[in-house]
Amino acid sequence: MRITDIREQTLAMSSTMRNASIGFGGMTASALTLVSDVVRNGKPVVGLAYDSVGRYGHGGLLRERFIPRLLAADADEYRDGSGTNFDPFKVWAIVMRDEKPGGHGERPGAVGLIDAAVWDLVAKLEDKPLWYVLAERFGGKLNDVRVSVYATGGHYREADDLAHLREEVRRNAALGYKKIKIKIGGVPLAQDMRRIEAAIDVLGSGAALAVDCNGALSKAAALDLLTALSTYGLAWVEEPVDPLDFELHKELAQCCALPLATGENIFSAADTLNLIRYAGLRPDRDILQMDVSLSYGIVEYLRMLSIIESHGWSRRQCVPHAGHLLSFNVAAGLGLGGHETSPTSNLPLMQPLEDGYVRPGNAPGVGFEQAKNFYAIFGGLLS
Ligand SMILES: [Mg+2]
């Protein structure tokens, strides 16, 4: 049993949407397939992975370092103890061979794609959904599992921004979402307050609304914003300032009762440790959003959870960034606090919403094959 081929492709994600820090006009993402020599129904069993959107594709790093390293390894190095499946931890160690610690940069997103494809393959070879494999191996719930899901969106539009925003929030609420996130921080505060009030007007409650500044605000602007929002009772304020300025996070947490959310630009267990140690975040309310795929994948995410819990946090405070099926499987299998989803994108949500929750399905692996429209993105890699 061995890995015979790994293919990757960069896909254009072009969109006119903006958040406070970036536009998506030139955005790309990677798709990756990991082919095994196990044949079922006349076809090799293949692991699939798709990037988190927002950090561009990872093709260069994959082609130059990580794919050749894994393909060059002896199969004995990455098979599990039984010899009947692959071991994601062994694969991770091979891929990260000769990589210095620290300075994580773009590397975690590339490795995360290989990790995700291995886990998809492992679950398919067990003929179980990935969430179930994770729950079995790491002590999660196996029955009556459901995941709290919120809708992300509310990007800035070039024309009729407020009308678009109202319509999008209304549409998501009509789909059954109980919590909705919109972008702020990219225009003057008074204009953002009109967006926030428009969204609350549609939703009927500040508690149903989260806002995301995408790390764009200065200290003074963040303090002004948090003061202006102090009576709105919002679900959370996400990335008000630079995600790596831990001292400033601490200052904001000390003067703001509103929950803060951050972590989507923290890409390793070591950086998670620093965030937990130094950013003054509060385990009783703040939300940790490390992105599974962009953070070296599930193997490293398990290390992050271990750090988080050893510092007195509950994993229920973890709601990963992304809105993709891999994250949903991780949230369901590891018992996290929720899942982000993007109803305006093509990223599929497999099961219907019930009162703001989604139950995981029974398809083997991550479940890409069940999402027919989305599965087409792998077409060029599977032929
Ligand atoms: Mg965000």
Side-chain angles (χ1 to χ4, degrees), residues 150 152 181 183 212-214 238-239 264 289 321 340:
Y150 77 88
T152 190
K181 185 171 83 183
K183 300 297 185 184
D212 185 0
C213 309
N214 290 94
E238 182 168 322
E239 286 200 319
E264 72 176 75
Q289 302 175 306
H321 168 262
E340 174 176 19

